[in-house]
Amino acid sequence: MSETAGASYAAAGVDIEAGDRAVELMKEWVKKTQRPEVAGLGGLGGFAGLFDASALKRYERPLLASATDGVGTKVDLARQMGVYDTIGHDLVGMVVDDLVVCGAEPLFMTDYICVGKVHPERVAAIVKGIAEGCVLAGCALVGGETAEHPGLLGADDFDVAGAGTGVVEADRLLGPDRIREGDAVIAMASSGLHSNGYSLVRHVVFDRAGWTLDRQVEEFGRTLGEELLEPTRIYSLDCLALTRTTEVHGFSHVTGGGLANNLARVIPDGLHATVDRSTWTPGAVFDLVGQAGRVEQLELEKTLNMGVGMIAVVPAESVDAALTTLADRGVDSWVAGEITARGDHATGAELVGSYAR
């Protein structure tokens, strides 16, 4: 009987040394996200991330908010293009902009990266993007996990997820109870598709249109792949600035389900949000998906953000101040609709009219 080598973790496909190398490569990026509340409390590589909540002395009754999310099938486009840092940016945007909807300041995030095989430079690039996103959101990256799953995922396959925690003063908590008849609906422009609807987008451009990621698209002024990987805009600090400079009754993060469905989530019983399509022109990428896939408008609108990534609901008298604050911060925004009463106690939101062309 011939002798064979004993089983090992490495033989099973897990490379511990590669994982350690990835941690070393990402350390400098993680350091850039530190807030005063995490400075000097452990460091990368510990079993848990630490945050000194006692430092939040400006809050009288702090409420903690939490959110978790991923970036969906957009990760497959990053894999195909060999571009990994923008996916981390997307991840932060999806998490922190859910937190800010209730008025919460993002405090810290953790991430989870699952790979078929650890490529240290690739993992470090993903974390670099997460760290850069955290800096834009004003939150710390306090820890994470990189899991190698050989046999379950291909050597080039990966996925990312993240969780975030924020804080809001109890008497400044935003929600449907603050929305009033006569409030204005202010739209903030998206940077493109953000991180939702990519299963539809991929089906249309690859399966139906037969396009490739390196195809130059005149309407975009760049390749299809570059357009589809455009990072998600992060609005958290812009929204928080809005709450400091004027009265805000609510926010809605436009993600999966589209503008109307997400706006309806913050509208109380008896009120209705009407959004006028004629107040903006969706970007070329939305037309491309609709035309190339012969996707009906209502199907597009319940899948994609159509050019609006965040909504603020403010009193009518606060509109000018809100638009000025957002313009000063470089956020393209406009009055897109209003809140009206519904006598039948129904609630919801709808898009009316035709898009400006």
Side-chain angles (χ1 to χ4, degrees):
M1 180 181 298
S2 61
E3 294 185 2
T4 59
S8 68
Y9 215 10
V14 177
D15 189 340
I16 295 176
E17 291 183 358
D20 292 340
R21 170 66 175 156
V23 171
E24 287 300 316
L25 290 173
M26 68 179 72
K27 280 184 175 179
E28 289 304 312
W29 293 107
V30 175
K31 285 181 181 178
K32 295 178 185 295
T33 74
Q34 283 201 346
R35 293 172 48 121
E37 299 92 341
V38 302
L41 296 178
L44 195 64
F47 284 90
L50 298 173
F51 185 95
D52 183 4
S54 71
L56 301 175
K57 293 182 172 59
R58 63 186 181 280
Y59 292 92
E60 293 185 7
R61 186 189 167 201
L63 300 181
L64 295 182
S66 65
T68 186
D69 213 333
V71 296
T73 56
K74 190 174 184 178
V75 298
D76 190 56
L77 302 180
R79 179 191 63 79
Q80 291 184 55
M81 293 186 66
V83 177
Y84 302 101
D85 54 348
T86 61
I87 288 297
H89 187 119
D90 289 311
L91 179 63
V92 176
M94 297 303 291
V95 173
V96 300
D97 287 339
D98 276 355
L99 291 175
V100 83
V101 165
C102 69
E105 170 195 359
L107 297 176
F108 59 85
M109 274 193 65
T110 57
D111 64 66
Y112 177 77
I113 304 171
C114 182
V115 301
K117 178 179 176 57
V118 172
H119 301 280
E121 289 74 17
R122 183 179 303 178
V123 172
I126 296 171
V127 175
K128 170 181 176 289
I130 296 172
E132 290 175 336
C134 284
V135 170
L136 290 174
C139 66
L141 181 59
V142 299
E145 169 73 5
T146 300
E148 193 170 25
H149 289 173
L152 184 63
L153 298 175
D156 283 335
D157 293 337
F158 73 98
D159 199 6
V160 296
T165 298
V167 63
V168 58
E169 188 67 69
D171 64 5
R172 295 183 65 82
L173 181 69
L174 301 181
D177 60 300
R178 291 182 179 260
I179 308 296
R180 299 287 183 266
E181 180 182 0
D183 282 352
V185 174
I186 293 180
M188 301 180 214
S190 71
S191 55
L193 293 168
H194 285 187
S195 300
N196 295 104
Y198 274 79
S199 293
L200 172 63
V201 172
R202 290 164 59 246
H203 171 66
V204 167
V205 299
F206 300 145
D207 301 336
R208 305 227 17 183
W211 287 17
T212 58
L213 290 171
D214 60 358
R215 180 187 179 113
Q216 284 289 150
V217 182
E218 182 179 353
E219 294 85 347
F220 301 158
R222 54 183 173 177
T223 68
L224 174 66
E226 289 168 338
E227 176 69 24
L228 297 186
L229 276 192
E230 178 67 32
T232 300
R233 177 153 199 163
I234 297 175
Y235 302 92
S236 56
L237 292 185
D238 304 314
C239 291
L240 291 173
L242 210 55
T243 65
R244 291 192 298 269
T245 59
T246 190
E247 185 177 356
V248 176
H249 287 170
F251 292 114
S252 176
H253 187 197
V254 183
T255 56
L259 195 162
N261 286 339
N262 281 287
L263 181 53
R265 295 167 66 181
V266 299
I267 305 301
D269 290 344
L271 295 183
H272 191 76
T274 301
V275 176
D276 186 354
R277 296 184 184 94
S278 70
T279 60
W280 83 97
T281 302
V285 67
F286 302 101
D287 282 340
L288 179 147
V289 175
Q291 294 171 11
R294 296 199 297 272
V295 183
E296 295 183 359
Q297 179 171 293
L298 292 180
E299 182 69 18
L300 275 181
E301 291 177 340
K302 72 179 184 181
T303 307
L304 307 178
N305 66 54
M306 301 305 293
V308 178
M310 181 70 77
I311 291 285
V313 180
V314 306
E317 60 270 21
S318 297
V319 166
D320 289 344
L323 293 177
T324 297
T325 294
L326 292 171
D328 288 345
R329 298 183 62 83
V331 181
D332 184 16
S333 63
W334 63 94
V335 176
E338 63 178 343
I339 306 299
T340 57
R342 293 267 309 242
D344 56 5
H345 299 290
T347 186
E350 65 177 334
L351 304 182
V352 299
S354 300
Y355 291 111
R357 298 297 178 186

